[in-house]
Amino acid sequence: MSEASALGQDSGGEGVREVVRGLEERGTDVVRVVYPDLIGADRGRDILVGQLPGACEQGLTFCRAVYHTTPRGDVVPVAGGLDAGLPDICVHPDLSTLKPLPWEPGVSWCLGDTIDPRTGQPAPESPRALLRRVLERTAEYAGGGGLTPVVGPELEYFLCDADAAEPSGWVPYGGATGNVYSAGRRGDPDGHLLRTLRQLDALGIGVIAGNHEFDGGQFEINLTHSEALDAADRAFRFKAAVKETARREGRLATFMAKPFNGLGGSGFHLHISLVDASGRNVFDDPGAPDGLSATARHAIAGVLAHAPALTALLNPTINSYKRFGPDTLAPWLVDWGLDNRSAMVRIPPERGAGTRIELRLGDASANPYLMIAGAVAALLIGIRDKPEPPAPLEGYGYDESSAPRLPGTLTAALDALEADEALTGLLGAEFTGAFLTYKRNELERFQQAVTDWEFTEYAFLI
């Protein structure tokens, strides 16, 4: 349980002073306040615990252009940033998320919510605020009784060791291949997984289990399911924590979609169900074909219909599209299937309370908030408009004649997102505009860069 679970988002007064006293009694002298940027990286500030009341009341000021800053530190000209003179946003600690950091004695960690001080409203680019807006719309459905999305995230990543001989400076940790779905020192000679599981468990973000994945140096750690905002919070913190603890070991943990030639990619799958106000899973219907309710069928159809646009949010980098393709076990076509891992949407075999959609489209580089917001928005549109899905996939799902292809490049995915008025209507014009501008700038910068491949391909013979 968090150190301030009963306080919610109390922003001042005796509640905050009580939290400060509790922190001081535990020997905590620093609070780390973090929030996600557009690409899901954690931005933040360490403050002395005595300053927490002021931070809650007034907020911590950051330049709004942090949302428009590239991984290399350049600022993209997104509206509201450079053109507006680089104004401030204010980040208010969400005390309900306060947790001690197991690997940083004396430090507690909490999430923050970003406010535009000119309007008093959430910053338009805030991924956490975007997900909240989508969830508010979800709650309006089902005859006023409301629907609550429940999400279980699954993430993969590569752990890397430094190697100055490599152009990138890094190689996969462990080296050995063939240790698929294994545990123990055979594929993890230094015990990284056990150490990381224990640290994440102490952090209290709902870690269940982990294993060595398909390729050398690749791991998967599973998180429990919970309501959508909490699931996004936990996935965001999971990624930040894994990267932080790897750095403490002198290693690099990367959630890149496909960091190495000749090896597979890293996925980010979402298990999604919907419950009504009574807690009943509305995807389950024992009397319907395949045990799936009409609501479940409409939700599946909604995700399929908006999959091209979702690809921009769930596969958000140029590198993402090098993970796709036949025989990769990553989705390539817009399809769904019953317990079929080659489909984009898989329906696991459990029914009853366990009835759910597994959306396998996303890769590990995705921002958890944008990913969940987009997925929930798509299934919500399906529930609203009531389309029917095509027949489920039979067999191995890489036959182009059986279903439409997903966008094959980031350019095509961004065009599909911009053209999807129903989806962007739920996401909001300001957020969509900022995201498209940021990502198209990324494409422009890549097109101007000379790659190692180009030099190796052309320099010696041309």
Side-chain angles (χ1 to χ4, degrees), residues 151-154 193 196-198 200-201 204-211 220-226 234 238 271 356:
V151 178
E154 285 185 5
L193 183 61
T196 303
L197 280 174
R198 287 169 176 149
L200 294 174
D201 183 52
I205 58 171
V207 171
I208 302 172
N211 57 266
E220 178 176 347
I221 294 178
N222 302 123
L223 303 175
T224 189
H225 61 273
S226 66
R234 292 185 297 108
F238 167 79
H271 292 254
R356 64 193 186 276

Side-chain angles (χ1 to χ4, degrees), residues 56-320:
C56 289
E57 183 176 353
Q58 300 166 9
L60 302 169
T61 57
F62 289 81
C63 178
R64 179 176 170 183
V66 72
Y67 283 124
H68 317 151
T69 302
T70 74
R72 296 192 181 196
D74 300 316
V75 178
V76 178
V78 175
L82 285 170
D83 65 322
L86 300 171
D88 277 346
I89 52 171
C90 290
V91 178
H92 292 264
D94 179 351
L95 297 182
S96 69
T97 67
L98 196 62
K99 294 178 181 294
L101 270 180
W103 55 87
E104 291 281 9
V107 180
S108 281
W109 190 23
C110 79
L111 303 178
D113 287 311
T114 55
I115 301 296
D116 183 342
R118 295 170 299 177
T119 64
Q121 298 299 311
E125 303 93 336
S126 168
R128 203 167 186 240
L130 171 68
L131 178 54
R132 280 202 181 102
R133 289 197 300 272
V134 171
L135 294 176
E136 286 169 2
R137 295 294 298 275
T138 310
E140 296 170 3
Y141 278 71
L147 293 173
T148 300
V150 175
V151 178
E154 285 185 5
L155 282 135
E156 298 168 344
Y157 63 93
F158 276 90
L159 186 68
C160 307
D161 283 323
D163 187 338
E166 290 294 317
S168 68
W170 300 93
V171 294
Y173 154 79
T177 58
N179 297 307
V180 182
Y181 300 150
S182 66
R185 299 299 173 111
R186 188 178 70 220
D188 182 10
D190 192 40
H192 159 80
L193 183 61
L194 282 178
R195 189 163 52 250
T196 303
L197 280 174
R198 287 169 176 149
Q199 289 173 329
L200 294 174
D201 183 52
L203 184 60
I205 58 171
V207 171
I208 302 172
N211 57 266
H212 188 283
E213 250 297 331
F214 201 88
D215 285 299
Q218 189 181 38
F219 296 89
E220 178 176 347
I221 294 178
N222 302 123
L223 303 175
T224 189
H225 61 273
S226 66
E227 293 187 10
L229 180 61
D230 180 68
D233 285 344
R234 292 185 297 108
F236 168 67
R237 297 179 101 158
F238 167 79
K239 292 178 73 172
V242 168
K243 288 184 284 188
E244 181 79 2
T245 54
R247 286 296 181 95
R248 287 172 56 85
E249 298 175 3
R251 295 189 169 107
L252 172 70
T254 179
F255 291 86
M256 254 181 90
K258 188 176 171 65
F260 299 106
N261 287 315
L263 299 181
S266 291
F268 184 173
H269 300 169
L270 296 179
H271 292 254
I272 309 173
S273 59
L274 281 176
V275 298
D276 62 17
S278 67
R280 182 182 66 88
N281 186 330
V282 300
F283 285 171
D284 179 57
D285 184 349
D290 304 312
L292 299 174
S293 68
T295 299
R297 294 197 311 274
H298 300 326
I300 292 166
V303 172
L304 297 179
H306 298 280
L310 285 178
T311 306
L313 300 174
L314 277 62
N315 304 272
T317 71
I318 293 163
N319 176 258
S320 295

Side-chain angles (χ1 to χ4, degrees), residues 25-36:
E25 288 172 2
R26 296 180 182 90
T28 298
D29 62 346
V30 170
V31 173
R32 179 168 299 165
V33 183
V34 300
Y35 59 98

